[in-house]
Amino acid sequence: MAINLSKGQRISLEKAAPGLKQIFIGLGWDINVTDTGGDFDIDASLFLVDSNEKLISDQHFIFYNNQISPDPEQSIKQLGDNRTGAGDGDDEIIDVNLKTVPTDIDKVIVTVTIHEADKRQQNFGQVSNAFVRIVNAENEQEVIRYDLTEDFSVETALIMAELYRKDGEWRMNAVGAGCEGGLQALVDRYQK
């Protein structure tokens, strides 16, 4: 039985699923019936940051053009770019091996942005049923889920959740914060 979080709630992954090692982060959404002249291309991105919430290096920014973390174990992998969000279930998936994530990565910030949102006159107010979930990759059981319920009428970038270390264990924070400026606004926020 998955644990459903509300905005701002935090939970230990160890308490939610003792012994959890390999997970995938599933992100999904539906597009409201609108005519903006183009498909919605929503992209998941990860910012692998240090204790100052800054990118460790440019290679620690995981997105459609850099899908694998730079550590030798390749502990974090984005599995492709869904360009339409069509279909049920997860639209984008990120694999994470919690046991091999290097210790210099203090936090994994999970975000979604709308590609060319300004050009296409699109925002997250035109998106519904957005969610992020943590799934045990070994048995494919959903462990934690966070469904966004807010109306983001002008925002083109969302910080969905954070995975972070505390007291030697991984935890999840359901963030649900939006901002304008798309992916560049997030890059500016987390770059050194």
Side-chain angles (χ1 to χ4, degrees):
M1 183 81 176
I3 297 169
N4 290 308
L5 298 182
S6 298
K7 182 175 180 167
Q9 280 189 301
R10 299 170 187 257
I11 190 167
S12 161
L13 297 186
E14 183 62 28
K15 289 181 181 151
L20 195 61
K21 295 179 206 124
Q22 183 78 33
I23 65 168
F24 71 80
I25 302 168
L27 296 138
W29 53 82
D30 293 321
I31 306 304
N32 296 339
V33 178
T34 60
D35 185 10
T36 62
D39 288 336
F40 271 74
D41 181 5
I42 298 178
D43 297 316
S45 301
L46 302 175
F47 294 86
L48 312 180
V49 300
D50 60 21
S51 59
N52 296 316
E53 291 204 3
K54 295 297 179 183
L55 279 170
I56 297 165
S57 75
D58 289 346
Q59 287 70 45
H60 286 82
F61 170 40
I62 308 300
F63 68 114
Y64 51 85
N65 281 337
N66 180 42
Q67 296 181 322
I68 300 173
S69 61
D71 57 285
E73 291 80 16
Q74 299 182 334
S75 56
I76 300 172
K77 298 176 186 171
Q78 184 184 29
L79 303 179
D81 179 19
N82 180 331
R83 294 178 181 250
T84 65
D88 292 332
D90 300 317
D91 292 309
E92 296 204 5
I93 296 173
I94 299 114
D95 272 337
V96 180
N97 184 326
L98 297 171
K99 299 299 180 192
T100 62
V101 174
T103 56
D104 62 340
I105 297 173
D106 193 60
K107 194 179 281 188
V108 176
I109 300 168
V110 182
T111 69
V112 290
T113 56
I114 302 172
H115 183 68
E116 297 183 338
D118 291 339
K119 179 179 172 186
R120 298 178 185 188
Q121 298 181 336
Q122 297 172 341
N123 60 60
F124 278 105
Q126 299 159 322
V127 175
S128 59
N129 303 321
F131 66 86
V132 57
R133 67 189 192 125
I134 304 293
V135 176
N136 183 338
E138 293 174 357
N139 61 17
E140 297 190 10
Q141 294 296 307
E142 183 175 274
V143 177
I144 302 169
R145 183 181 185 94
Y146 169 46
D147 293 299
L148 270 76
T149 57
E150 296 81 13
D151 178 28
F152 296 102
S153 59
V154 297
E155 292 83 353
T156 56
L158 297 177
I159 300 170
M160 299 283 284
E162 298 170 337
L163 292 179
Y164 65 99
R165 297 180 207 256
K166 183 175 181 184
D167 301 327
E169 64 183 29
W170 285 100
R171 297 172 184 248
M172 179 178 167
N173 176 19
V175 178
C179 66
E180 295 179 58
L183 184 57
Q184 189 60 53
L186 294 173
V187 170
D188 294 345
R189 177 177 180 164
Y190 296 114
Q191 255 181 345
K192 286 188 177 188

